[in-house]
Amino acid sequence: MSAALKRDWPLYAALVTALLVVVPVALGVGRTSGGPAFGLGSPELASAIFLEIRLPRVLLGLLVGGTLGLCGAALQGLLRNPLAEPGLLGASSGAAFGAVLVFYFGLAAGQSLLLPLGAVAGSLTALATLYALAGRRGDLLGVILAGIAINALAAALTSLALNFAPSPYAALEILFWMLGSLADRSLAHVALALPLMLPAWIMLGAAARGLDALTLGEDVAQSLGYDPKTTQWLVIGGTALAIGAAVAVTGVVGFVGLVVPHVLRRAVGFHPSRLLLPSFLGGAVLTVAADLVIRLMPPGPELKLGVVTALLGAPFFLHLVLRARRAGVA
Amino acid sequence: MSLRCDALTVRYRDRVAVRPSSIALARGTVVALVGPNGAGKSSLLKAIAGLVPCTGTVQAGEQALSTSPRSRARTIAYLPQSPAAHWPMKVRDLVALGRLPHRAFGSALRPEDAAAIDAAMRETGVTALAERAVDELSGGELSRVQLARALAVRAPILLVDEPVAALDPYHQLEIMHVLTDYAARDALVVAVLHDLTLAARFAHRVIVMHEGEVVADGRPEQVLSAETLRRYYHVEPFLSHVAGQPLVVPWRTLQ
């Protein structure tokens, strides 16, 4: 890691500076029914507002955004495909379905650990299916098609669960949660997600060199001492764990994992390993910044984070697909 | 380093790709593995490299091959028939991937890594391309860069699958010289070749495979006879000698 820091220090300096700007601003801006609120309000409420509203929101933004960026970079490295992303490949919708199932059976009372576990199981199933269907050859089109199929299936099953929801209010609650948001979260959510995310980050970090070796194809990776199967399970397991935890606390926030690694890839010389940590930092910056923009919107119903990232990310994805087609790879 | 295979067998689901083969290869030599398409040459190479499930034993030097993937990776370097380069890295960065088996997790390139990379690029004549992105290279340039990546491992055993297939005559000769020079430093080079003229000229030893079996093995001028070419390749060769070296030119097909 020290080697990467030395080599890519201008990039790290830029990303850390961006964090140092965005985080304090995000901690200083809130939102009330009347639109954005600056500062921490009256002195007697200041510590409560800071600890119970602003801090959890920003912390979760950092954790979830970083996780999305990291997972996107790792999946793109594993599949050797710049269009891979947890949301597009069905990991997020699989996680959402897992979580909805837990909701549906009424198991998610309070801050139950069952919710994130359901989400982890869902995203693991989705990713393992994807890899079995299309992951081995690093084939661009096959992966996207398998992702579409898995997304469609997860969405259909989620709709089915909503269809049978015990009450319209439950359905609405699930629907709003799935849109993806950092609003009204507490430090308990951080405590729920972090223990699952930490080992996931370590797994993804441990896959770094294996991802570099995979640049040369599976046979050569193996001949260099990095068994593609080990790399595959580190990335799929780590991504499922991290995305499951992220979706469980914030719902589905898409496209961060697509956009961030893509923007940073050239700056790290296309090394999958050197892309991981910058993508984490970049994802954290982007997510906290996007959530800040939401709070700065004029009065009205608060936009959901997942809606904003999808609105910005989908055209970006389209642009990448068109460019890939022009280059003749898809 | 010498290499010894005993009863090495590769089975794919419904067919035997390599029938039980026992071969002993001496260090300091270039061994050409030849034979018609589908003869099992690539499978044999992959089995030695530990990339396909196989039965039998592979022994490198005096001991059985280590089961540690990293130690194995330092002993045997492998270059497949059409190596991939999935990201448009710079040429030098791609060659540097050959140093992965030697580097501790998270460590930077050490001076000896840099020296091995520079030497491999010099030997294959790609030093001038160092800063180019690999997706901007011609087919011939890319295959030399990929060979440099395999050379950069500095393994005592080098397995290369059709290293000259995409190259023009100048670079074919260059690369064959690179392989003989590499072997001359006490290494063993096993190369799958389709060009029998190059095999006859540069290899110290030629192994002919046919339908998964080693059917001929020995010095080029013994093995690459008219009889061998008729029987296994179904071609009538033109055989001659130029400056004391064998010349093998497949001339016309036989029915």
Coordinates of all heavy atoms in Angstrom, one line a residue, chain B residues 90-93 95 114-133 137 140-142 144-149 151 154 171 174-175 178:
Chain B
K90 N 0.4 0.9 -19.6 CA 1.6 1.2 -20.3 C 2.4 -0.1 -20.5 O 2.4 -1.0 -19.6 CB 2.4 2.2 -19.6 CG 1.8 3.6 -19.8 CD 2.7 4.6 -19.1 CE 2.1 6.0 -19.2 NZ 2.7 7.0 -18.4
V91 N 3.2 -0.2 -21.5 CA 4.0 -1.4 -21.8 C 4.8 -1.8 -20.6 O 4.8 -3.0 -20.2 CB 4.9 -1.2 -23.1 CG1 5.9 -2.2 -23.2 CG2 4.0 -1.1 -24.3
R92 N 5.5 -0.9 -20.0 CA 6.4 -1.2 -18.9 C 5.6 -1.8 -17.7 O 6.1 -2.7 -17.1 CB 7.3 0.0 -18.5 CG 8.5 -0.4 -17.7 CD 9.4 0.8 -17.4 NE 10.6 0.3 -16.8 CZ 10.8 0.0 -15.5 NH1 9.7 0.0 -14.7 NH2 11.9 -0.5 -15.1
D93 N 4.5 -1.2 -17.5 CA 3.6 -1.7 -16.4 C 3.2 -3.1 -16.6 O 3.1 -3.9 -15.7 CB 2.4 -0.8 -16.2 CG 2.8 0.6 -15.6 OD1 3.9 0.6 -15.0 OD2 2.0 1.5 -15.8
V95 N 4.7 -5.4 -18.5 CA 5.9 -6.3 -18.4 C 6.2 -6.5 -16.9 O 6.5 -7.6 -16.4 CB 7.2 -5.7 -19.1 CG1 8.4 -6.5 -18.8 CG2 6.9 -5.6 -20.6
A114 N 13.2 -4.0 -11.1 CA 13.4 -3.1 -12.2 C 14.4 -3.6 -13.2 O 14.2 -3.5 -14.4 CB 13.8 -1.7 -11.7
A115 N 15.5 -4.2 -12.7 CA 16.6 -4.7 -13.6 C 16.0 -5.8 -14.5 O 16.3 -5.9 -15.7 CB 17.7 -5.2 -12.7
A116 N 15.2 -6.7 -13.9 CA 14.7 -7.8 -14.6 C 13.7 -7.3 -15.7 O 13.7 -7.8 -16.8 CB 13.9 -8.8 -13.7
I117 N 12.9 -6.3 -15.4 CA 12.0 -5.7 -16.3 C 12.7 -5.1 -17.5 O 12.4 -5.3 -18.7 CB 11.1 -4.7 -15.6 CG1 10.2 -5.4 -14.6 CG2 10.2 -3.9 -16.7 CD1 9.6 -4.4 -13.6
D118 N 13.7 -4.3 -17.2 CA 14.5 -3.6 -18.2 C 15.2 -4.6 -19.1 O 15.2 -4.4 -20.3 CB 15.5 -2.7 -17.6 CG 14.9 -1.5 -16.9 OD1 13.7 -1.1 -17.3 OD2 15.5 -0.9 -16.0
A119 N 15.8 -5.6 -18.5 CA 16.5 -6.6 -19.3 C 15.5 -7.4 -20.2 O 15.8 -7.5 -21.4 CB 17.2 -7.7 -18.4
A120 N 14.3 -7.7 -19.7 CA 13.4 -8.4 -20.6 C 12.9 -7.6 -21.7 O 12.7 -8.1 -22.8 CB 12.2 -8.8 -19.7
M121 N 12.7 -6.3 -21.5 CA 12.3 -5.4 -22.5 C 13.4 -5.2 -23.6 O 13.2 -5.1 -24.8 CB 11.8 -4.0 -21.9 CG 10.6 -4.2 -21.2 SD 10.0 -2.7 -20.4 CE 9.7 -1.6 -21.8
R122 N 14.7 -5.1 -23.1 CA 15.8 -5.0 -24.0 C 15.9 -6.2 -24.9 O 16.0 -6.1 -26.1 CB 17.1 -4.8 -23.2 CG 18.2 -4.0 -23.9 CD 19.3 -3.6 -22.9 NE 19.6 -4.7 -22.0 CZ 19.6 -4.6 -20.7 NH1 19.1 -3.5 -20.1 NH2 19.9 -5.6 -19.9
E123 N 15.8 -7.4 -24.3 CA 16.0 -8.6 -25.0 C 14.9 -8.8 -26.1 O 15.2 -9.3 -27.2 CB 15.9 -9.8 -24.1 CG 17.1 -10.0 -23.2 CD 16.8 -10.8 -22.0 OE1 15.8 -11.5 -21.9 OE2 17.7 -10.8 -21.0
T124 N 13.7 -8.3 -25.9 CA 12.6 -8.5 -26.9 C 12.5 -7.2 -27.7 O 11.6 -7.2 -28.6 CB 11.3 -8.7 -26.2 OG1 11.1 -7.7 -25.1 CG2 11.2 -10.1 -25.5
G125 N 13.4 -6.2 -27.5 CA 13.4 -5.1 -28.4 C 12.1 -4.2 -28.2 O 11.7 -3.5 -29.2
V126 N 11.6 -4.1 -27.0 CA 10.4 -3.2 -26.8 C 10.7 -2.0 -25.9 O 9.8 -1.3 -25.4 CB 9.2 -4.0 -26.3 CG1 8.8 -5.1 -27.3 CG2 9.5 -4.6 -24.9
T127 N 12.0 -1.8 -25.6 CA 12.4 -0.7 -24.7 C 11.8 0.6 -25.1 O 11.3 1.4 -24.3 CB 13.9 -0.6 -24.6 OG1 14.4 -1.9 -24.2 CG2 14.3 0.4 -23.5
A128 N 11.8 0.9 -26.5 CA 11.4 2.1 -27.0 C 9.8 2.3 -26.8 O 9.3 3.4 -26.9 CB 11.7 2.3 -28.5
L129 N 9.1 1.2 -26.6 CA 7.7 1.3 -26.4 C 7.2 1.5 -25.0 O 6.0 1.5 -24.7 CB 7.0 0.0 -27.0 CG 7.4 -0.5 -28.4 CD1 6.8 -1.9 -28.6 CD2 6.9 0.5 -29.4
A130 N 8.2 1.6 -24.1 CA 7.9 1.5 -22.6 C 6.7 2.3 -22.2 O 5.9 1.9 -21.4 CB 9.1 1.9 -21.8
E131 N 6.6 3.5 -22.7 CA 5.5 4.4 -22.3 C 4.2 4.4 -23.1 O 3.3 5.1 -22.9 CB 6.0 5.9 -22.2 CG 7.2 6.1 -21.2 CD 6.7 5.8 -19.8 OE1 5.7 6.3 -19.4 OE2 7.4 5.0 -19.1
R132 N 4.2 3.5 -24.1 CA 3.0 3.4 -25.0 C 2.0 2.5 -24.3 O 2.3 1.7 -23.5 CB 3.4 2.7 -26.3 CG 4.3 3.5 -27.2 CD 3.6 4.4 -28.2 NE 2.9 3.5 -29.1 CZ 3.4 3.0 -30.2 NH1 4.7 3.1 -30.4 NH2 2.7 2.2 -31.0
A133 N 0.7 2.8 -24.5 CA -0.4 2.0 -24.0 C -0.5 0.7 -24.9 O -0.3 0.8 -26.1 CB -1.7 2.7 -24.1
L137 N -0.6 -0.8 -29.7 CA 0.5 -1.5 -30.4 C 0.0 -2.3 -31.5 O -1.2 -2.7 -31.6 CB 1.2 -2.4 -29.3 CG 1.7 -1.8 -28.1 CD1 2.3 -2.9 -27.2 CD2 2.8 -0.8 -28.4
G140 N 2.3 -7.5 -33.7 CA 3.7 -8.0 -33.5 C 4.3 -7.4 -32.3 O 5.0 -8.1 -31.5
E141 N 4.1 -6.1 -32.1 CA 4.6 -5.4 -31.0 C 4.1 -6.0 -29.7 O 4.8 -6.2 -28.7 CB 4.3 -3.9 -31.0 CG 5.2 -3.1 -32.1 CD 4.6 -1.7 -32.3 OE1 3.4 -1.5 -32.1 OE2 5.5 -0.9 -32.7
L142 N 2.7 -6.2 -29.7 CA 2.1 -6.7 -28.5 C 2.6 -8.1 -28.1 O 2.8 -8.4 -27.0 CB 0.6 -6.8 -28.7 CG -0.2 -7.2 -27.5 CD1 0.1 -6.2 -26.3 CD2 -1.7 -7.2 -27.8
R144 N 5.5 -9.3 -28.7 CA 6.9 -9.2 -28.1 C 6.8 -8.6 -26.7 O 7.5 -9.1 -25.8 CB 7.7 -8.2 -29.0 CG 8.3 -9.0 -30.2 CD 9.2 -8.1 -31.0 NE 8.5 -7.0 -31.7 CZ 9.0 -5.8 -31.8 NH1 10.2 -5.5 -31.3 NH2 8.3 -4.9 -32.5
V145 N 5.8 -7.7 -26.4 CA 5.6 -7.2 -25.1 C 5.2 -8.3 -24.1 O 5.7 -8.4 -23.0 CB 4.6 -6.1 -25.1 CG1 4.2 -5.7 -23.7 CG2 5.2 -4.8 -25.8
Q146 N 4.3 -9.2 -24.6 CA 3.8 -10.3 -23.8 C 5.0 -11.3 -23.5 O 5.0 -11.8 -22.4 CB 2.7 -11.0 -24.5 CG 1.4 -10.2 -24.6 CD 0.6 -10.2 -23.3 OE1 1.1 -10.7 -22.2 NE2 -0.6 -9.6 -23.3
L147 N 5.8 -11.5 -24.5 CA 7.0 -12.3 -24.3 C 7.9 -11.7 -23.2 O 8.4 -12.4 -22.3 CB 7.8 -12.6 -25.6 CG 9.0 -13.5 -25.4 CD1 8.7 -14.9 -24.9 CD2 9.8 -13.6 -26.7
A148 N 8.1 -10.4 -23.3 CA 8.9 -9.7 -22.3 C 8.3 -9.9 -20.9 O 9.0 -10.1 -19.9 CB 9.0 -8.2 -22.6
R149 N 7.0 -9.9 -20.8 CA 6.3 -10.1 -19.5 C 6.7 -11.5 -19.0 O 7.0 -11.6 -17.8 CB 4.8 -10.0 -19.7 CG 4.0 -9.9 -18.5 CD 3.8 -11.1 -17.7 NE 3.3 -12.2 -18.5 CZ 3.5 -13.5 -18.2 NH1 4.2 -13.9 -17.1 NH2 3.0 -14.5 -19.0
L151 N 9.4 -13.3 -19.8 CA 10.9 -13.3 -19.5 C 11.2 -12.6 -18.2 O 12.1 -13.0 -17.5 CB 11.6 -12.6 -20.7 CG 11.6 -13.2 -22.1 CD1 12.6 -12.4 -23.0 CD2 12.1 -14.7 -22.0
R154 N 11.9 -14.3 -15.0 CA 13.3 -14.8 -14.8 C 13.2 -16.2 -14.2 O 14.0 -16.5 -13.2 CB 14.1 -13.9 -13.9 CG 14.6 -12.6 -14.7 CD 15.6 -13.1 -15.8 NE 16.2 -12.0 -16.6 CZ 15.8 -11.8 -17.9 NH1 14.8 -12.5 -18.4 NH2 16.3 -10.9 -18.6
H171 N 11.3 -10.4 -36.9 CA 11.0 -10.6 -35.5 C 10.9 -12.0 -35.1 O 11.3 -12.4 -34.0 CB 9.8 -9.8 -35.0 CG 10.1 -8.3 -35.0 ND1 9.5 -7.4 -35.9 CD2 10.9 -7.6 -34.2 CE1 10.0 -6.2 -35.6 NE2 10.8 -6.3 -34.6
E174 N 14.5 -12.8 -34.5 CA 14.9 -12.1 -33.3 C 14.4 -12.9 -32.1 O 15.2 -13.1 -31.1 CB 14.2 -10.7 -33.3 CG 15.0 -9.7 -34.1 CD 16.1 -9.1 -33.3 OE1 16.0 -8.6 -32.2 OE2 17.2 -9.2 -33.9
I175 N 13.1 -13.3 -32.1 CA 12.6 -13.9 -30.9 C 13.2 -15.3 -30.7 O 13.5 -15.7 -29.5 CB 11.0 -14.0 -31.0 CG1 10.4 -12.6 -30.9 CG2 10.4 -14.9 -29.9 CD1 10.8 -11.8 -29.7
V178 N 16.3 -14.7 -29.0 CA 16.0 -14.4 -27.6 C 15.8 -15.6 -26.7 O 16.4 -15.8 -25.7 CB 14.7 -13.5 -27.4 CG1 14.3 -13.4 -26.0 CG2 14.9 -12.1 -28.1

